[in-house]
Structures are given as C-alpha cells and as structure tokens.
Amino acid sequence: MDFSSFFRPETVAVIGVSYSSDQHPANVIFSKNLLRYPARIFPVNPKGGELLGQEVFSSISKIPEAIDLAVIAVRADLVPLIISECIKAGVKGAIVISGGFAEVGRHDLQDALIKAASKDNFPVIGPNCLGSFCPGFIDTFFLPSERVVQPPSGNVAIISQSGGILVDLLVKFADEGIGISSAISIGNKALIREIQLLEHFSHDPETDVIAFYIEGFKENEGRHFVKKAALCPKPVVVIKSGKTEQGSRAVSSHTASLAGDYKVFEGVCKQHGIFVAQDEFELVNYCEALSCYSESSGRKIGVVSASGGHGALSVDACTHHGLEVPVLSETLQKELKEVLSENVKSIASIGNPIDLTGSAKEYDFVQTVEILSGSDEIDCILLLILPYVPGISSDLGARVSLIYRKFGKPLVAYVPHVDKYRMLIEGFELNKVPVSSSIEGAVLMAKAIGTKRNA
Amino acid sequence: MRNKKRIEEILHKSKENGWVLEPDAKKIFSLAGIAVPKYNVAHTLDETVSIANKIGFPVVAKIVSTEIIHKTEYDGVAVGIASQDELETIFERFQALPGFAGMLIEEMVKGVELIVGAKNDTQFGPVVLLGIGGTGVEIYQDSSIRMAPLAHNDVSAMLDELKGKKLLYGYRGKPAADIGALARTLVIFSKIIMHIENSFESIDINPLFCNEGGCIAADARIILK
C-alpha cells in the first residue's frame, strides 16, 4: 500500500464542513490547510455553496481534480457510504476523524467501514482519530493552530493510538526542539495499524527514528510487530500504557503470575532491539538522542562539568542506567592537564567525572571535549553546562558541537532550559547535538546512544 | 525436536484433566532432551520400597493427584527421606490427600533453584520466563522474559537481567553452575513450547536445579488450554 497521500498530499477533500460552526472539526481542518499548507483543499457538503470564499462541492465526485486524500468528519453512520464514494472517485486514501464506532460499542459500523474499504484495498486511518500532521505539508488535527504547539520539521515519526497523548508529546517535542517528519493518530486502527506504519516509515527517507504510543495489539500481532522492528534499520522507540494490571485473576502457574502483560511486552521488545520508554520523559529524551545519532556507540561515558556536584549526580544516574564512567588513563589525564588554563590546571579534577570548576574558561571546555573526542577510552561525552559560570559564553554550544562534527564522538549536553540560555541551547540543537533540560535526561540520551540494537 | 509424536500422545491423554501431572510433564521434557531426576511412581506401599532402593536413599517424595496443582500447599512434598520407615509413613499420609493417584519418588538433586516457565501470550504467542525459583518465586519476582524460540544470545541477555544471577557464578565458594547446560536447556524448552503452541496455556519448571554438572528439571507442570 502506498501511504504517501496521507503525509504528502497535493489535493485534499475535507468532507463534512459545516455552515453553522467554525469550530466543527471539518471547518478547522479546512481553514488551517487552506491558509497555511501547500495542498489544494476542497470542502465537501451536500448543500454546496461557499465557505471562506471557496466553492463547496456537493460530493467528492463533483471535485474537478484527482484527490489524494479525503478527510472525513461526518456522522459515523454515513462514513461507510462516503468511503465507497471516495473509492469510486479514485481518491487514494482517507482519514476518518469521526468517532462513534467500536469505541462506543458500535462494532457494526466499524465492520461496515472495514468492509467498504477492504473490498478495494483502500487505505484508511482511523476512525476516531486526529489523522496526520506533517510540518509544512498537511495537518488534519481538528485543533485550531493557535491553540497547539508545533515542533519543527525533522526526522522523527510518531504514531499514537491516542490523539491526546500525541498532541501532548508534540508539545514536549517542540519544547526540546525535536523535529518530526510525521505525527499520526490512528485511533481505533480499524484498517491501518502500527505494523503497516512501521513498514512505511522504515522506508521513508525523511524519517530516522520511529516512535510509538501503544495501548495493545491484536492476537499474535505483537509477535509480527517486534519481528518487523528487529529488521528495521532505524531505531524504534515505544511507550506502552497498562503497566499496572487491574484485578489480576487467580492464576494456576507461577509463570502466568510473574509474566504480566507489561513484563512480557518489555522483555520481548528488548529482545528485538526496541527501545522501551517507561514514561514520556524517557520517550522524549530517547527520541532526541536517536534523532541526532542513529548509530549505537557504547556505554563508557566521559563526564565534563564545572561543578563537582553535577559530576557526582550524573555518575549516579549513569550507574543506575547501566552506563560506565571509567577513570581515565594516566596518559590521557596528563594530556588534559597540559592543555588547561594555568589557573584551572591546579584545581580541576580530571579523573572522570571531570570537574573544570567554576573558574573554567570557554577554552577549557573546548580543549577537554576535543581531547576526549580523540580518545578510545570513552564512547560518549556528557557535557554538563552551567551557563552562569563567568568564563563561558553563549557560543559554547555551537563551538563544542563542531568538535563532534570533526571527530564523530557522540556528545550530549545538559543546559537548564530557560529563555536566558536559548542561544547556548540552539548552538547545540541546530548543530544536531542533543541537549537536555535535566541531568537525568542527558544521561537517558547517553543510554539511548550507547544501547546496542538488533543484536 | 525429538520424540514429537510421543509428546503429543501424553498431551492428548492429559487434555481432559486440564493440566499435565508431574510424572507426565517430566516424561515430556525428558523425551525432548531436558534432564530430569531419576524417578518412578509408586502406587502401593511395596512399590515405594523397591523404587527407593533402586534410586538410592535419600529420596524426595511427592503427591501425584489431579486435584492438587500446588503440592506444597497440601504438604505434598517431602525431601531428604533417608529411610524406608520414613518413606512408608509419608506414603500413608499422602494416601489420605484428595485425588491420590500415587507417590512420585525421585533422587535428591542439589543446585541453584531456578524457574523456567512459559506463557502463551495473547499478543506475542509463546514466551519463555527465566527466574530465581523455589517456593519464594512470586515474592522475589526476579525474572526475565523473551519470545520463543530462543537463540543462545537471548539466554545470556536474560541472565543479565536477573539480580540473582551471581548465585550461578559460584557464590560464596560454591562451584559455578554449568551455564552452557542452562542455555541448552532453555533453547530446547523454547522449541518444545513452539511445538505445543496450540495446546498449552502456561508451564512451570520449578525448580530447575543448576549445578556444576548441568541443569535438572526437578518439578514440572503444564497447564493446558
């Protein structure tokens, strides 16, 4: 199946626009795409007429152009018929925004939708979903643009069963400066499910990381999903709800009692090289790190900071997450000492964690990162920046990021995320070096980069 | 996998009961190539003596009953039985337990107690569990899960996830367990469960004793679909 019409449509029909409510999902989708996206948009309502100065077509078949994508927001009972009309009109795919199907017990309507679409192998996302958001191309979320926070265009694809979780994740992605290629809410996933989208994005040249919010799989579907993910050359990150099991029924074997659904999910994902994020915080940090470095490096971390406390806390977090902070060799320590500023040399600790102290100059950070970048003793540098230290400037982010470009040694940074330090943060972000707003987040990034995949 | 047909026969025979009794479950695992202790089932007092003498004291005795899934809950397991008298007393006690169908007598085995289990998961199909075993298994909850069939490198990853893995590498002067044998046991086990995928719901081998000489399935139960 070709899914390009969902993510890069040139022509879009919005079926079900209202004349009485600007806030009707179809109207919001129509107006945002009309005003802010490149696709040609055609509103549809049986009454015809005009909306925002555009001609409203009385049916999909009346639109004079070939339609790539139909966005359907009509009453649930009308959807199967509309799907048939779309197929007849040669539409390439449809997103069904409407709710009122299996989620409210109307399995008959959902079955009718499936029947209408599968006869011609017609791709449908939904029902009961937000559809797709691809920065610069299409946005079928029925949320007014001024209300949402949108991440920039980038290389992470997110697929979510829940629309609410998806929009919330996008807020967090935007906050961390993580760019997305596509975000898709699949709702009831009556036809297109996680597995087909995994397949699609594993071939999508604009996507380097594929993230999922999963509630559950159909019988044996999980087995196929993880096998496909293991073969996917791109990192796959998942977050799953349902950690706590309610009303655990009496089980007759110890294994059945120990092997709860989430525990099985976690073990099986690990086995197949899938990153399992325990919460949104982990998901965001994994995605940011993997969007910058898709090759896995290793678990030996070199910690650089201007504060002993930051070094100590990050060593604790590294150990907790199975990372090593090895003591540097005498030779490497000597090499480091030689390049540091005179006043720093005598007070810095350079065994690893490296504490350059509050007297450190920008020069000391650059030199330290450069020397560590050239060493085999560590696999990744964790740079904890305290922007209030007088010796450093806002240029530091960009300067050390360029060292990564030169040596290829992965670097992750911690900088407090407040507006005052924005230029420093962007110095990293714009140069594709992941930067977290917390020490714990930066350590999770290092963990993601250091985890071997598809063993 | 070895002896597929005979394994299927045993499963078929147990279907009505809903689960496979210990002696039959052991038979299945030994047919497939997993080591089990020397054992036999006594139905009369006379048989207990001849079986125990053949195996050699001390022995372990366990109740065989279709009505008792968790034997320890009925005090249906006795270990370290050193004499004929002791064995006879236990036999008489077991006879009074619900559904008595015999007494399993087997050799005493020592080693680190692990649990090897399987679950037929709705979303992922047959999965294998490896954990620190014994009667406290649900208290410690120290276990790791992978999808079957397993490759040898899956086994080392599973071991890495166990807090109690140090017990296997020679803890406090004890000899290290045969990890290679453990890996082979798990791989065979994972093949069995793929083969009987349509029949089983869950399986416990608990304990699987691991010592320097190998791994032995000392108790086993297969819950059928």
Side-chain angles (χ1 to χ4, degrees):
Chain A
M1 248 183 218
D2 177 18
F3 289 167
S4 53
S5 55
F6 291 116
F7 313 120
R8 299 290 183 270
E10 286 177 13
T11 48
V12 177
V14 181
I15 303 174
V17 289
S18 157
Y19 297 103
S20 55
S21 167
D22 292 340
Q23 287 181 353
H24 187 282
N27 294 52
V28 175
I29 296 165
F30 169 65
S31 76
K32 61 157 60 162
N33 283 284
L34 177 72
L35 300 173
R36 288 181 286 280
Y37 289 88
R40 293 190 297 287
I41 306 294
F42 304 90
V44 177
N45 183 308
K47 289 181 205 138
E50 235 180 53
L51 191 68
L52 303 180
Q54 303 288 308
E55 178 184 358
V56 176
F57 295 86
S58 59
S59 84
I60 184 92
S61 59
K62 296 278 161 57
I63 300 172
E65 287 194 49
I67 296 296
D68 290 336
L69 174 66
V71 181
I72 302 170
V74 300
R75 263 189 6 238
D77 55 325
L78 300 174
V79 170
L81 180 70
I82 301 272
I83 293 279
S84 301
E85 286 179 13
C86 287
I87 295 171
K88 215 183 268 171
V91 175
K92 291 187 189 140
I95 291 172
V96 180
I97 307 291
S98 325
F101 294 87
E103 83 282 7
V104 292
R106 291 299 304 268
H107 295 277
D108 56 324
L109 285 179
Q110 189 149 320
D111 289 343
L113 184 161
I114 293 170
K115 203 174 156 207
S118 38
K119 198 162 49 101
D120 293 272
N121 213 9
F122 181 67
V124 175
I125 289 180
N128 185 33
C129 72
L130 294 178
S132 64
F133 164 55
C134 306
F137 293 96
I138 179 78
D139 180 358
T140 74
F141 293 7
F142 58 80
L143 312 165
S145 303
E146 66 276 13
R147 287 174 182 259
V148 293
V149 182
Q150 295 185 333
S153 164
N155 60 355
V156 181
I158 327 178
I159 295 106
S160 172
Q161 195 170 343
S162 152
I165 296 286
L166 182 63
V167 175
D168 202 50
L169 280 174
L170 293 182
V171 174
K172 285 166 181 137
F173 272 42
D175 203 34
E176 292 290 335
I178 310 170
I180 62 157
S181 59
S182 302
I184 305 113
S185 134
I186 53 178
N188 294 5
K189 48 182 188 178
L191 287 133
I192 292 178
R193 304 175 65 86
E194 289 88 353
I195 201 157
Q196 288 101 321
L197 292 168
L198 171 61
E199 173 80 32
H200 171 82
F201 287 109
S202 60
H203 300 296
D204 176 31
E206 275 147 81
T207 300
D208 294 321
V209 181
I210 311 169
F212 290 91
Y213 165 76
I214 293 171
E215 286 176 1
F217 290 113
K218 282 197 295 199
E219 193 173 342
N220 239 16
E221 189 185 20
R223 179 167 279 257
H224 299 299
F225 178 85
V226 294
K227 281 185 170 175
K228 192 153 275 220
L231 297 174
C232 175
K234 303 170 185 180
V236 176
V237 187
V238 298
I239 181 167
K240 186 182 179 296
S241 58
K243 272 196 200 79
T244 47
E245 273 162 74
Q246 292 177 333
S248 64
R249 62 196 175 88
V251 280
S252 44
S253 77
H254 294 303
T255 301
S257 154
L258 291 176
D261 286 348
Y262 190 79
K263 175 114 181 146
V264 170
F265 179 86
E266 214 182 0
V268 169
C269 284
K270 240 180 170 178
Q271 180 184 15
H272 292 85
I274 299 170
F275 291 89
V276 181
Q278 298 300 335
D279 49 36
E280 284 183 312
F281 180 70
E282 285 197 8
L283 182 87
V284 169
N285 284 293
Y286 287 173
C287 285
E288 180 167 357
L290 295 167
S291 72
C292 296
Y293 309 109
S294 57
E295 298 292 319
S296 82
S297 57
R299 300 190 156 259
K300 289 178 291 177
I301 310 297
V303 177
V304 183
S305 84
S307 136
H310 283 72
L313 277 180
S314 60
V315 170
D316 288 345
C318 282
T319 309
H320 175 74
H321 288 290
L323 301 171
E324 298 164 43
V325 185
V327 175
L328 304 178
S329 68
E330 299 265 333
T331 332
L332 194 57
Q333 293 199 31
K334 203 167 148 239
E335 208 182 321
L336 276 167
K337 211 151 217 177
E338 271 165 18
V339 297
L340 296 181
S341 313
E342 275 310 313
N343 64 325
V344 174
K345 210 174 270 193
S346 53
I347 52 173
S349 317
I350 47 175
N352 196 20
I354 296 168
D355 171 14
L356 296 174
T357 78
S359 307
K361 305 276 187 308
E362 183 136 322
Y363 163 87
D364 297 304
F365 280 95
V366 172
Q367 290 295 320
T368 304
V369 170
E370 191 153 332
I371 285 175
L372 290 182
S373 292
S375 163
D376 292 337
E377 291 178 33
I378 55 146
D379 302 313
C380 175
I381 302 164
L382 180 59
L383 180 59
L384 309 155
I385 294 191
L386 317 176
Y388 30 84
V389 167
I392 64 170
S393 81
S394 295
D395 291 332
L396 183 57
R399 285 185 72 184
V400 291
S401 298
L402 292 177
I403 302 174
Y404 163 67
R405 295 281 144 220
K406 194 163 136 201
F407 288 87
K409 178 81 72 189
L411 172 69
V412 298
Y414 154 69
V415 180
H417 279 30
V418 291
D419 282 346
K420 192 178 255 184
Y421 308 138
R422 203 59 234 166
M423 185 169 151
L424 187 51
I425 294 166
E426 284 182 12
F428 287 107
E429 283 175 356
L430 297 173
N431 289 295
K432 289 277 169 202
V433 166
V435 50
S436 178
S437 55
S438 67
I439 296 176
E440 175 76 15
V443 171
L444 286 169
M445 289 175 170
K447 180 187 179 183
I449 299 165
T451 302
K452 287 231 177 331
R453 292 188 287 119
N454 306 337
Chain B
M1 212 185 74
R2 303 195 300 204
N3 296 313
K4 283 185 184 171
K5 194 138 183 258
R6 290 184 63 196
I7 291 172
E8 272 158 25
E9 280 164 15
I10 301 174
L11 286 173
H12 188 75
K13 189 184 83 179
S14 312
K15 206 167 174 176
E16 203 179 321
N17 188 38
W19 56 285
V20 183
L21 284 164
E22 180 181 350
D24 289 336
K26 277 186 172 152
K27 184 83 199 166
I28 288 178
F29 292 124
S30 90
L31 281 170
I34 292 175
V36 300
K38 274 186 269 177
Y39 74 95
N40 212 332
V41 180
H43 300 91
T44 64
L45 209 54
D46 289 346
E47 281 176 358
T48 61
V49 181
S50 59
I51 291 170
N53 280 330
K54 217 179 223 171
I55 291 169
F57 286 101
V59 293
V60 177
K62 296 182 213 169
I63 174 80
V64 178
S65 161
T66 54
E67 288 169 44
I68 298 176
I69 289 198
H70 295 290
K71 294 181 282 282
T72 48
E73 288 171 9
Y74 285 83
D75 207 6
V77 179
V79 297
I81 305 165
S83 72
Q84 215 161 298
D85 283 355
E86 219 181 310
L87 191 63
E88 286 174 3
T89 317
I90 290 163
F91 185 83
E92 277 158 8
R93 183 166 63 77
F94 281 6
Q95 270 185 313
L97 291 175
F100 174 81
M103 178 162 92
L104 186 144
I105 301 169
E106 70 183 18
E107 67 175 315
M108 283 283 287
V109 186
K110 287 204 170 121
V112 179
E113 289 184 59
L114 299 179
I115 176 172
V116 169
K119 179 189 172 192
N120 215 332
D121 187 80
T122 319
Q123 304 182 65
F124 298 100
V127 296
V128 177
L129 173 137
L130 170 68
I132 298 303
T135 47
V137 59
E138 290 187 35
I139 297 169
Y140 298 120
Q141 303 228 351
D142 188 8
S143 61
S144 169
I145 294 170
R146 293 291 185 272
M147 205 164 86
L150 298 180
H152 278 265
N153 60 356
D154 288 326
V155 177
S156 37
M158 290 174 93
L159 275 171
D160 277 342
E161 281 180 24
L162 299 184
K163 291 189 201 84
K165 72 173 170 191
K166 284 187 188 150
L167 295 169
L168 292 165
Y169 297 114
Y171 182 65
R172 296 209 162 189
K174 292 222 172 92
D178 184 346
I179 302 293
L182 176 61
R184 285 192 296 279
T185 304
L186 278 164
V187 170
I188 293 173
F189 180 76
S190 78
K191 286 183 184 155
I192 303 173
I193 66 168
M194 287 311 289
H195 181 66
I196 65 168
E197 185 180 359
N198 296 323
S199 318
F200 86 96
E201 188 179 287
S202 65
I203 301 174
D204 286 342
I205 295 181
N206 183 32
L208 176 85
F209 280 111
C210 281
N211 56 40
E212 67 275 27
C215 294
I216 301 159
D219 198 351
R221 126 179 90 230
I222 302 172
I223 312 283
L224 300 171
K225 267 188 185 169

